[in-house]
Amino acid sequence: MFYQIRRIVVKEGFSDQVVESFANRGGLMAQQPGYLEKQVLVKKVRRGEEEVMVMVQWESEEDWKNWEKSPEHIAGHKAKRGAGSEKPEYIIESSHDLYYVKGKFN
């Protein structure tokens, strides 16, 4: 198994907007071969920056790569850029990492 993980740090009070944006998209991704699930986690904080982790689980790296180069995925990004969509000002930083599952323990 394989995980694509996106970490997004936002200004206090904006994590719900990030969660909502990821909840409202991904229908096409869920139809892709090898897609397993998407989880959105919010780090519990008392005050200050908030952290959102979006974890997408795939059967394999190859399945993820197929999604990344699919016409549907590319068209979605082009439409977003074409709409003049810049990074919202409440996003402080974001990163994207890829992980292989090397063991599952109970």
Side-chain angles (χ1 to χ4, degrees):
M1 277 189 256
F2 184 79
Y3 279 90
Q4 170 194 19
I5 300 179
R6 183 172 303 276
R7 177 181 168 269
I8 305 162
V9 178
V10 299
K11 293 178 182 175
E12 185 176 359
F14 287 93
S15 62
D16 287 343
Q17 285 183 253
V18 175
V19 171
E20 186 177 315
S21 78
F22 278 96
N24 291 334
R25 60 177 148 150
L28 290 174
M29 179 192 301
Q31 297 171 18
Q32 295 300 304
Y35 170 88
L36 296 174
E37 71 176 345
K38 175 173 53 176
Q39 296 179 359
V40 181
L41 294 80
V42 178
K43 184 176 183 178
K44 184 177 178 179
V45 292
R46 292 187 190 273
R47 250 185 258 140
E49 299 171 349
E50 298 174 348
E51 183 177 319
V52 179
M53 298 281 283
V54 180
M55 302 181 359
V56 182
Q57 185 179 20
W58 296 90
E59 285 283 344
S60 69
E61 182 178 8
E62 189 66 29
D63 291 325
W64 169 74
K65 284 180 179 179
N66 288 336
W67 162 247
E68 287 289 309
K69 62 185 178 184
S70 72
E72 297 86 0
H73 184 249
I74 293 167
H77 280 278
K78 283 183 181 178
K80 196 173 173 183
R81 281 192 298 264
S85 179
E86 293 185 22
K87 180 175 82 168
E89 71 174 39
Y90 59 81
I91 294 179
I92 297 168
E93 68 178 88
S94 67
S95 62
H96 178 262
D97 296 296
L98 306 171
Y99 291 84
Y100 298 94
V101 176
K102 294 294 184 174
K104 189 172 180 178
F105 309 97
N106 291 328

